[in-house]
Amino acid sequence: MFKLKENGTSVKTELVAGVTTFLTMVYIIIVNPTILSAAGVPSQQVFMATIIAAVFGTLWMALVANYPIAIAPGMGLNAFFTYSVVQASNGELHYTTAFASVFIAGILFIILSLTPLRSKLITAIPNNLKLAITAGIGLFISFLGLRMAGVVVDDPTNLIKLGDLTSPSVLLTLGGLIITAIFMVRRVPGAIFIGMVITAIIAFFTGQLKIDELVTMPHLPEGIIVWNPIDALKEVIAHSLYGVVFSFILVTLFDTTGTLVGVARQAGLMKDETLPRARKALLGDSFGTTIGAMFGTSPTTAYVESSAGVAAGGRTGLTALTVAVLFIIASFFSPLVASVSGVSAITSPVLVIVGTLMIASVRHIEWDTFDEALPAFLVMLIMPLTSSISTGIAFGFIAYPILKIVKGEAKKVHPLLYLFAILFIIQLVFI
């Protein structure tokens, strides 16, 4: 089924690779409830929804696409859901309505993945803007992590300022950041997860973390949150969430595609610079996003942490299957996860570390070409300043065609980009 001999691997190697990948990405079952609970979603609901989405998407990659790549709710999109969609509405938008927009985005994503339009969208967007989106999200979630832990706080005269460095929460955050960074520098497999465990142990012995229960039967407090596409579409239209849906699709589009190609190339699975079974693989995050929204989590994406499993020898879907099984086992530890996710100092270092990894994409941006550099910079600048991924994308997508027209290179801009620019202007000015 997995063609182990054909791919030059073995059952033992694949199992070890699966465990490695799981350890590098399991932090999401703690961080995701922390972020989405700020939108009012019950932590237990998010925990189970995260696992359901991860299991479904990863099983698809394992059994249908036969790739050693794991799927789970993406970092950045969870923050966008909470702070740029729900909280930004000032109480006017309930999280169930926001999940309706994720649900519709997932359905549209499935349609895109079944047609050549997904690849056309990828080629239509300039590479510098794609890189800037990744980097901007990295800045956004890093800032979010520092703010959640009180390392930076609101200031009436200067917007933000340094927090109280002597407070237990800030000290634990900085200590956890240093500990995790040491493991990252030493290239320890599962460095982020191990850093969280050590930080949690310190929090426990300093009285910042209390654990009343470790294991319980998996359950969903609110059951299925959204399931009817027609009702979900009505919610999107009623609240004019077109820009939100578009942003979910756009970010997931680049994130997943880039990760799939990168990990597949690392594993030596590319054939003449093309990805075999590409359509099957691209459907993994599409279905994961749709299923995840039904139960209560933000969009899923292919995890770049899968490269850790590939480095350990993973070459087939058996690696992904191992990850999925481990996520199922993790579903029984919701009380422990709830306790840990309630201490922001434990999860905040993760946001900073992940942000550091994402900002690395800026090195590939053409900074010497101003008409390419400014739109990219606007994307990166606006995201953390407005706490909105979609607003950052909007500014970049509007500035890019304008500068190209002024430069006399209007024909070099894909027609779809002009359409996106017009839609974003309408959204920012009128909606």
Side-chain angles (χ1 to χ4, degrees):
M1 180 180 183
F2 297 111
K3 301 179 181 179
L4 299 181
K5 290 184 178 180
E6 183 180 319
N7 287 281
T9 184
S10 65
V11 172
K12 180 182 178 180
T13 300
E14 294 290 302
L15 293 178
V16 170
V19 172
T20 302
T21 296
F22 176 76
L23 289 176
T24 60
M25 64 180 291
V26 68
Y27 65 84
I28 191 62
I29 67 174
I30 299 175
V31 177
N32 212 36
T34 300
I35 295 177
L36 293 186
S37 61
V41 193
S43 180
Q44 172 65 29
Q45 183 79 19
V46 181
F47 172 76
M48 280 307 303
T50 300
I51 289 179
I52 290 172
V55 169
F56 189 91
T58 304
L59 281 177
W60 181 278
M61 293 297 289
L63 304 177
V64 179
N66 194 26
Y67 278 118
I69 298 173
I71 302 287
M75 290 297 296
L77 289 172
N78 47 12
F80 172 58
F81 178 96
T82 297
Y83 300 99
S84 301
V85 180
V86 179
Q87 288 195 3
S89 69
N90 296 317
E92 295 182 7
L93 198 68
H94 194 261
Y95 65 80
T96 54
T97 301
F99 280 129
S101 68
V102 178
F103 186 60
I104 293 299
I107 293 175
L108 292 176
F109 213 28
I110 292 173
I111 296 172
L112 285 174
S113 299
L114 289 170
T115 66
L117 187 56
R118 181 167 183 172
S119 59
K120 289 183 179 179
L121 277 174
I122 294 171
T123 56
I125 310 302
N127 191 52
N128 289 309
L129 289 181
K130 298 175 191 174
L131 296 169
I133 290 172
T134 301
I137 293 174
L139 288 173
F140 175 34
I141 64 175
S142 293
F143 171 65
L144 176 62
L146 295 175
R147 193 170 183 175
M148 284 170 54
V151 178
V152 295
V153 295
D154 293 337
D155 180 67
T157 58
N158 195 40
L159 298 181
I160 59 171
K161 66 178 181 180
L162 191 63
D164 181 8
L165 296 183
T166 64
S167 72
S169 176
V170 172
L171 288 173
L172 181 61
T173 300
L174 297 178
L177 182 58
I178 293 172
I179 292 169
T180 308
I182 291 173
F183 286 120
M184 294 290 291
V185 170
R186 299 299 301 175
R187 298 182 181 276
V188 176
I192 295 178
F193 179 66
I194 295 172
M196 287 184 67
V197 170
I198 295 176
T199 306
I201 292 172
I202 296 173
F204 180 78
F205 285 106
T206 56
Q208 298 182 61
L209 171 63
K210 294 182 180 180
I211 300 175
D212 299 321
E213 193 178 5
L214 291 178
V215 181
T216 188
M217 287 298 295
H219 68 284
L220 286 158
E222 298 194 1
I224 298 178
I225 291 178
V226 54
W227 63 273
N228 190 321
I230 297 177
D231 290 340
L233 184 59
K234 288 179 180 178
E235 289 286 307
V236 170
I237 295 173
H239 294 86
S240 300
L241 296 175
Y242 314 110
V244 172
V245 172
F246 179 67
S247 295
F248 279 138
I249 291 175
L250 202 62
V251 175
T252 310
L253 180 76
F254 301 145
D255 198 355
T256 297
T257 306
T259 299
L260 279 173
V261 172
V263 175
R265 182 176 286 115
Q266 178 189 352
L269 300 174
M270 298 288 286
K271 305 296 183 183
D272 300 322
E273 287 304 305
T274 60
L275 183 68
R277 308 180 302 281
R279 186 166 295 180
K280 291 180 179 179
L282 292 172
L283 280 169
D285 62 333
S286 308
F287 282 116
T289 294
T290 308
I291 297 295
M294 292 175 65
F295 292 97
T297 188
S298 46
T300 61
T301 182
Y303 260 59
V304 71
E305 284 85 350
S306 301
S307 59
V310 168
R315 293 294 182 272
T316 73
L318 183 54
T319 293
L321 177 61
T322 303
V323 175
V325 171
L326 290 173
F327 267 116
I328 293 174
I329 295 172
S331 67
F332 291 90
F333 293 88
S334 61
L336 175 61
V337 171
S339 298
V340 173
S341 62
V343 182
S344 59
I346 299 175
T347 54
S348 291
V350 176
L351 300 181
V352 177
I353 294 293
V354 173
T356 303
L357 299 175
M358 297 179 75
I359 195 68
S361 63
V362 299
R363 69 182 183 272
H364 300 299
I365 295 176
E366 299 174 51
W367 294 113
D368 294 333
T369 309
F370 191 76
D371 53 302
E372 295 282 346
L374 181 61
F377 180 69
L378 287 175
V379 171
M380 295 164 52
L381 180 68
I382 299 299
M383 280 188 189
L385 290 182
T386 61
S387 294
S388 172
I389 293 174
S390 62
T391 303
I393 293 174
F395 270 77
F397 276 50
I398 292 171
Y400 189 89
I402 292 175
L403 293 181
K404 289 297 182 182
I405 291 172
V406 171
K407 192 179 180 181
E409 297 182 351
K411 292 183 179 180
K412 291 185 178 181
V413 180
H414 196 284
L416 280 175
L417 205 62
Y418 286 114
L419 175 61
F420 293 156
I422 293 171
L423 293 175
F424 274 128
I425 291 173
I426 294 173
Q427 179 197 359
L428 291 176
V429 177
F430 300 104
I431 301 178

